[in-house]
Amino acid sequence: MTIRVLELAEQLKVGTDDLLAVCTLLEIPATSRISCLSPEHIKKLTAYYQEELEKK
């Protein structure tokens, strides 16, 4: 199942611009708010934000 960047940003409660920046950092090919993310990409992004929360 794929979801769009916009939908994942809403779920993670982050801005779409922030999420797209993290996609670039993690070398995930997403260029806009409506880009689709694969399940593997969703896992990577979710793990990234989880680690960031744990650091705080």
Side-chain angles (χ1 to χ4, degrees):
M1 180 179 136
T2 62
I3 64 170
R4 298 194 185 276
V5 169
L6 178 61
E7 294 170 304
L8 185 60
E10 288 174 3
Q11 290 177 12
L12 296 174
K13 296 182 173 75
V14 297
T16 53
D17 290 339
D18 183 55
L19 186 57
L20 286 169
V22 174
C23 286
T24 301
L25 181 70
L26 298 178
E27 298 180 357
I28 295 172
T31 56
S32 73
R33 300 167 10 132
I34 59 170
S35 295
C36 290
L37 298 167
S38 70
E40 297 88 31
H41 295 150
I42 295 165
K43 284 181 187 177
K44 278 185 178 180
L45 291 163
T46 304
Y48 176 87
Y49 280 103
Q50 188 62 39
E51 288 175 22
E52 289 299 309
L53 280 175
E54 291 172 2
K55 287 180 184 178
K56 292 182 180 180

